[in-house]
Amino acid sequence: MKKFLIAVLVFTGLFLQAQESADKLLDQLDQQTKDYSKIALQLWDWAEMGYQEVKSSGLLQETLNKEGFKITSGIADIPTAFMAEYGTEGPVIAILGEFDALPGLSQKAIPTKESAGGVAGHACGHHLFGTASTAAAVAIKNWLKANRKKGRIRFYGCPAEEGGSGKVYMVRSGVFDDVDVALHWHPGAQNAASAGAALANKSAKFRFYGVSAHAAGAPERGRSALDGVEAMNVMVNMMREHIPQDARIHYVITDGGKAPNVVPDFAEVYYYARHGNRDVVVSIFDRMVKAAEGAALGTGTTMDYEMIGGTHELLPNLTLQKLVHDKLSAVGGMTYSSEEKAFAQEISQSLGQEELKEEIALAIQPYKTEARAYGSTDVGDVSFVVPTVGFSTATWVPGTAAHSWQAVAAGGTSIGIKGMMIAAKTISLTALELFNSPEIITKAKNEFKEKRGNNFVYKPLLGNRPPALDYRN
Ligand SMILES: [Zn+2]
């Protein structure tokens, strides 16, 4: 009986100690909210697009460097990609951070649509993503240090998520090979840590080359590159009927000629193909190439194409997902101040919603083992080489869609910052638990190996092309 009592006391003591150090970490993060808010809003203001995030990447590197992290920049032949490491022994936990903005979406931090005068805007909240992940890396480092724990924490600065497939090159270069678990999150309109899916994606720019001529004076001498593009689009649009119905194809004509009286000698169309299974994406893409070849043949033009992006679907890890859900639930959602509420009400109205659903910002969505999602992310490739887990927080007013001006606006206010700090805390608590209970890592790895299959070989969908550093130029 005495032995039992001692065991109980020791256990309770350890539990209280763990609880105290976790509370300390959360307090520290609360105290640093102002500093991280400054960093996030600076990134928001710069709004740099994919592979052009020189200042944003630089500021995060500087922040981590000051905290004693060892920085390796320019990894995977990408100038704005970097790795920041702390610790020399123990499991390696990676935290992903993004920081690229979207073209054409400049917006002020006000509840009505108005450009901030820039070309790009943080309509996917990656300024919050990168900053929260940085805050978490620093908090975990402080905890490792204070508790003399063995563990390595690694922040991955991941450029060009939006269409640039930045992480694919990073995975391909092997920088994740010795990682035990990868943690990420994403800004959103609700707090949720369900096992989300994502679609595999393959994109390319198809370029047609014709012969210029006066469109009225000598049309017989011309061959229209735009005809090539249009013929390809007609064929691909017909193809939609004969592909799995949960596939997605989209395109924009990025160059259609300059003047109606000049037969265009150059035209370009930019395509995406997506599906929940990467093999289906590859087969649809191959058929799109055939359509392009046929279009060139029929219009007397020539064609080539450049792979732009290619990502795997997400491989969920339920062991980790459940853990993150518990931590997110422990941290909890947010309440709005009266000022935030007024802002949120106006945004909500602009979305055509009858009333603001403030309770969504406060709630944590119930855990689901399969949440539908039709977007794509280059986190997919990471999830196929290391057990990976993510979640979202309500950095945007409930009802807001990603890639909208409403997302940019909220991301530039204290609502975005509150969601960012919830994310930083959730990542930190998750990492603490993994360092304290390495058996969870083992379990997650076993699940990962089983799901991925024994014969899995990682094959990037974009092949061996070098990083498309100029895809936003
Ligand atoms: Zn995003």
Side-chain angles (χ1 to χ4, degrees):
M1 187 63 188
K2 204 173 156 193
K3 260 188 190 162
F4 174 74
L5 272 178
I6 290 172
V8 168
L9 283 174
V10 168
F11 180 77
T12 318
L14 284 174
F15 175 77
L16 288 175
Q17 209 180 347
Q19 191 58 38
E20 194 199 335
S21 65
D23 288 346
K24 222 180 193 173
L25 178 146
L26 297 182
D27 282 348
Q28 256 178 22
L29 278 169
D30 278 333
Q31 284 161 22
Q32 291 161 340
T33 302
K34 239 191 187 157
D35 298 333
Y36 288 117
S37 160
K38 236 168 122 184
I39 294 174
L41 295 179
Q42 179 64 76
L43 262 54
W44 184 87
D45 204 38
W46 283 330
E48 295 172 296
M49 292 187 284
Y51 296 130
Q52 301 171 2
E53 319 96 328
V54 178
K55 288 188 278 187
S56 306
S57 169
L59 179 55
L60 297 182
Q61 289 183 47
E62 195 189 304
T63 307
L64 288 155
N65 190 28
K66 268 191 209 149
E67 288 288 341
F69 282 76
K70 184 183 144 233
I71 313 283
T72 316
S73 52
I75 56 174
D77 293 326
I78 301 171
T80 50
F82 71 97
M83 218 159 74
E85 298 173 84
Y86 177 84
T88 48
E89 273 180 281
V92 182
I93 294 184
I95 305 175
L96 311 179
E98 298 172 3
F99 33 72
D100 61 321
L102 280 150
L105 279 157
S106 169
Q107 162 68 31
K108 286 186 182 169
I110 54 171
T112 47
K113 190 173 188 299
E114 190 180 326
S115 166
V119 287
H122 270 292
C124 212
H126 293 180
H127 62 301
L128 303 169
F129 188 163
T131 309
S133 297
T134 301
V138 171
I140 298 158
K141 181 268 298 180
N142 288 339
W143 176 84
L144 285 170
K145 217 171 167 178
N147 294 284
R148 295 206 185 86
K149 281 268 179 191
K150 276 186 189 163
R152 288 176 283 172
I153 193 78
R154 219 183 263 166
F155 177 95
Y156 284 83
C158 306
E161 188 278 329
E162 298 289 354
S165 301
K167 292 182 202 69
V168 180
Y169 303 105
M170 294 167 73
V171 171
R172 196 177 72 181
S173 76
V175 295
F176 290 101
D177 287 357
D178 64 341
V179 172
D180 290 296
V181 168
L183 308 176
H184 70 105
W185 75 286
H186 204 284
Q190 55 180 22
N191 309 297
S194 292
L199 303 184
N201 177 9
K202 205 167 163 169
S203 66
K205 289 180 177 171
F206 292 85
R207 299 183 177 121
F208 289 81
Y209 306 89
V211 181
S212 280
H214 193 294
E220 72 283 359
R221 281 201 247 151
R223 294 293 179 270
S224 169
L226 180 61
D227 285 355
V229 164
E230 290 192 274
M232 173 183 179
N233 294 350
V234 167
M235 281 188 270
V236 173
N237 286 332
M238 285 172 164
M239 208 174 93
R240 291 179 195 272
E241 192 185 342
H242 310 289
I243 56 173
Q245 54 178 323
D246 45 357
R248 298 276 189 278
I249 299 177
H250 0 271
Y251 64 83
V252 286
I253 297 176
T254 37
D255 194 335
K258 302 283 180 274
N261 63 348
V262 179
V263 175
D265 64 350
F266 179 74
E268 183 186 81
V269 58
Y270 185 3
Y271 265 97
Y272 274 33
R274 311 194 208 221
H275 186 267
N277 180 313
R278 62 192 178 283
D279 295 332
V280 176
V281 169
V282 170
S283 89
I284 291 173
F285 184 84
D286 289 347
R287 288 166 67 193
M288 276 164 37
V289 172
K290 289 285 168 217
E293 287 169 357
L297 194 65
T299 55
T301 56
T302 56
M303 182 280 299
D304 59 30
Y305 66 93
E306 182 187 359
M307 288 298 317
I308 299 294
T311 57
H312 281 47
E313 65 272 24
L314 268 177
L315 185 66
N317 193 294
L318 299 184
T319 306
L320 297 173
Q321 204 66 58
K322 190 76 192 46
L323 173 67
V324 170
H325 176 78
D326 290 347
K327 298 303 171 194
L328 177 61
S329 305
V331 172
M334 71 176 84
T335 45
Y336 291 148
S337 68
S338 54
E339 211 176 77
E340 288 163 353
K341 194 172 171 169
F343 173 92
Q345 261 158 349
E346 239 186 283
I347 289 277
S348 192
Q349 261 168 23
S350 80
L351 295 165
Q353 298 178 149
E354 264 175 35
E355 59 183 64
L356 170 66
K357 297 196 178 69
E358 196 183 343
E359 65 281 3
I360 292 180
L362 180 63
I364 308 298
Q365 293 300 307
Y367 179 71
K368 279 188 259 166
T369 50
E370 236 177 276
R372 265 166 180 272
Y374 289 98
S376 304
T377 168
D378 56 7
V379 174
D381 288 58
V382 179
S383 77
F384 273 86
V385 296
V386 43
T388 300
V389 64
F391 63 97
S392 70
T393 71
T395 59
W396 305 327
V397 175
T400 301
H403 299 195
S404 61
W405 69 261
Q406 288 94 338
V408 189
T413 71
S414 52
I415 293 177
I417 300 302
K418 280 184 176 173
M420 172 179 96
M421 294 315 286
I422 293 171
K425 290 176 179 176
T426 305
I427 294 174
S428 302
L429 292 185
T430 305
L432 251 64
E433 181 89 49
L434 291 171
F435 283 130
N436 277 333
S437 318
E439 66 275 10
I440 305 176
I441 300 180
T442 310
K443 198 177 163 206
K445 279 186 166 173
N446 289 340
E447 181 188 333
F448 168 74
K449 282 182 199 148
E450 195 181 313
K451 275 199 177 136
R452 202 176 64 158
N454 282 334
N455 302 321
F456 177 84
V457 182
Y458 174 69
K459 243 170 66 192
L461 262 61
L462 44 70
N464 51 17
R465 70 148 298 156
L469 299 178
D470 59 353
Y471 84 114
R472 287 291 191 215
N473 294 353

